[in-house]
C-alpha cells in the first residue's frame, strides 16, 4: 500500500539480491524504518521480537529465513536446522508451520547447489500468492459492505469494527480484514472503522490506525472494552477480524479479546466475520479451544507501556501496582458458533467442517 505516495510491501528482496528488507514494526507509530535481514537468525529474531508480526507476514518472513539459511548452508542438515529454529519463533500463527512445511518439502527435492536460488523463488512466490489471496478476500468482503451500504442513507458510512492489526502490515500487502475496507473505500463506498486499541501491544492504536490514516480511511480508535457498548447503540454494522489459526471446523483463534467481541456481536445481532486466507486453516485441528497453542508473552508487556511524551521523546513507564502478578495470554479462540462467516479467497463460507472442506478439497487431501 502507499506510504507518503510510495508503494510498499511489508517484506521484499533487497536490491543487492542477497538480503531481505522489512518495515520494522516495533518503531510504529512514531517512525517508519526499514530493517535488513541478512541471515536466518536475523529473520528468526525479527519474528520473535515482532519487527514483523501478523500470521501471513510471519509465514512470508520464515520462507525468506529459509532462503537466507540456504545461502549459508544448503545441506539437508542446514535445511532441517533452519526450519526447526524458525518454527520455534512464535507458537500460534499456523502460517509459520505452513510456510516451513512447504519450503522443506520443496527444497529437499532440489540439489543443494541450487537450493538457495529455489528457496528465494519460493519465498517470492509465497509473497505474491499472499497478495492475490488478500485481494480476493477484499473483493468478497466488499460485497458484504456494499450490501450494508445499500440499507443506509446516501453518504452514511458503514461502521466496521476490527480488532488487532489484520491490515496490510500483518500481511505482504492489502491485509485480510482490511482488504474489504480498502477496496470499499477505493470503490466509493463510505466506510468508517472502529479500531480497538488492542492492549497490550497496541496493534490497533499503533498499526491499524497508522495504516488506515495513511490511506485516508476514516477511523476512530477506541479502548478494547468499548465494542459492546458501541454495538448496543447501533454504532457497529459489521465486525471483521483476522485470524492466526482457524480449525477445520471453523473455530477461530485471533488476538486476545476477539472472543469478547464475538460474544457482544452475538448478543446484539451484529454480523461477525473473519477474514481467512487458506494458509491460516489448520486442517489437523477440530477443537480450537482445546487444541490451539496460545502464546503466553512476557508480563512486562502488560505492566509497562511505551509511548511518545509531549516533548517528543520515547519513554517506557510502569502502569501496574508494584508487586502484582501479571498474565499475558496473547490470543483467544472464538468458537465457530459465534462466527457469521469466513471471508476466504474462494468466497464467503459458513464456519463448518463441510463448507471449509468443500472450498479447499486439495488441502484436506494433503493433511489426510
Ligand atoms: O501478535 P500479532 O501481532 O502477530 O497478532 C496478529 C493478529 O492477531 C492478527 O489479527 C492476525 O495475525 C491476523 S493477520 C492478517
Amino acid at each position: 500500500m502507499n506510504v507518503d505516495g510510495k508503494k510498499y510491501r511489508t517484506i521484499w528482496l533487497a536490491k543487492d539480491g542477497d538480503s531481505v528488507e522489512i518495515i520494522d514494526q516495533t518503531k510504529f507509530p512514531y517512525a517508519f524504518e526499514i530493517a535488513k535481514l541478512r541471515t536466518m537468525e536475523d529473520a528468526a529474531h525479527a519474528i520473535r521480537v515482532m519487527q514483523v508480526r501478523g500470521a501471513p507476514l510471519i509465514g512470508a518472513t520464515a520462507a525468506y529465513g529459509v532462503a537466507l539459511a540456504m545461502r549459508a548452508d544448503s545441506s539437508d542438515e542446514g535445511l532441517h536446522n533452519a526450519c526447526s529454529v524458525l518454527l520455534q519463533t512464535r507458537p500460534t500463527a499456523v502460517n509459520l508451520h505452513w510456510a516451513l512445511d512447504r519450503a522443506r518439502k520443496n527444497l529437499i527435492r532440489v540439489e543443494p547447489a541450487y537450493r538457495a536460488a529455489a528457496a528465494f523463488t519460493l519465498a517470492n512466490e509465497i509473497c505474491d500468492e499472499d497478495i492475490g489471496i488478500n485481494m480476493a478476500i477484499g473483493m468478497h468482503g466488499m460485497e458484504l459492505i456494499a450490501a450494508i451500504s445499500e440499507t443506509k442513507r446516501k453518504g452514511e458510512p458503514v461502521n466496521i469494527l476490527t480488532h488487532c492489526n489484520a491490515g496490510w502490515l500483518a500481511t505482504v500487502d492489502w491485509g485480510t480484514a482490511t482488504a474489504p475496507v480498502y477496496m470499499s473505500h477505493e470503490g466509493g463506498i463510505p466506510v468508517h472503522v472502529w479500531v480497538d486499541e488492542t492492549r497490550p501491544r497496541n496493534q490497533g492504536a499503533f498499526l491499524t490506525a497508522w495504516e488506515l490514516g495513511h490511506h485516508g480511511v476514516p477511523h476512530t480508535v477506541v479502548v478494547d472494552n468499548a465494542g459492546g457498548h458501541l454495538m448496543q447503540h447501533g454504532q457497529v454494522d459489521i465486525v471483521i477480524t483476522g485470524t492466526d489459526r482457524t480449525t477445520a471446523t471453523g473455530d477461530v483463534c485471533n488476538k486476545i479479546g476477539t472472543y469478547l467481541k464475538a460474544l457482544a456481536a452475538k448478543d446484539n445481532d451484529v454480523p461477525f466475520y473473519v477474514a481467512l486466507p487458506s494458509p491460516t486453516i489448520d486442517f489437523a485441528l477440530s477443537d480450537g479451544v482445546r487444541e490451539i497453542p496460545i502464546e503466553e508473552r512476557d508480563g512486562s508487556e502488560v505492566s509497562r507501556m511505551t509511548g511518545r511524551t509531549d516533548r517528543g521523546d520515547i519513554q517506557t513507564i510502569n502502569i501496574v501496582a508494584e508487586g502484582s502478578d501479571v498474565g499475558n495470554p496473547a490470543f483467544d479462540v472464538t468458537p465457530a458458533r459465534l462466527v457469521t462467516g469466513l471471508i476466504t479467497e474462494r468466497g464467503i463460507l459458513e464456519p463448518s467442517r463441510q463448507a471449509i472442506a468443500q472450498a479447499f478439497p486439495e488441502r484436506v487431501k494433503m493433511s489426510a
Side-chain angles (χ1 to χ4, degrees), residues 29 33 60 67 74 76 82 89 111 120 124 137 161 164 178 197 215 224 249 253 277 282 285 303 305 313 319 357-358:
E33 283 181 20
S74 62
D76 288 4
T89 49
E111 280 289 311
F120 275 108
N124 294 340
I137 287 175
L161 183 135
C164 193
T178 55
E197 64 172 346
H215 212 79
D224 292 326
T249 52
C253 179
D282 188 340
L285 304 189
S303 61
M305 254 186 126
D313 44 331
I319 57 166
Q358 241 166 38

Side-chain angles (χ1 to χ4, degrees), residues 50 53-56 90 164-166 170 176 203 243-244 254-255 331:
M50 294 173 72
R53 22 71 48 211
R90 290 194 71 190
C164 193
N165 171 254
T176 57
Q203 286 96 329
T243 169
D244 294 83
N254 192 47
K255 183 55 58 193
F331 298 92

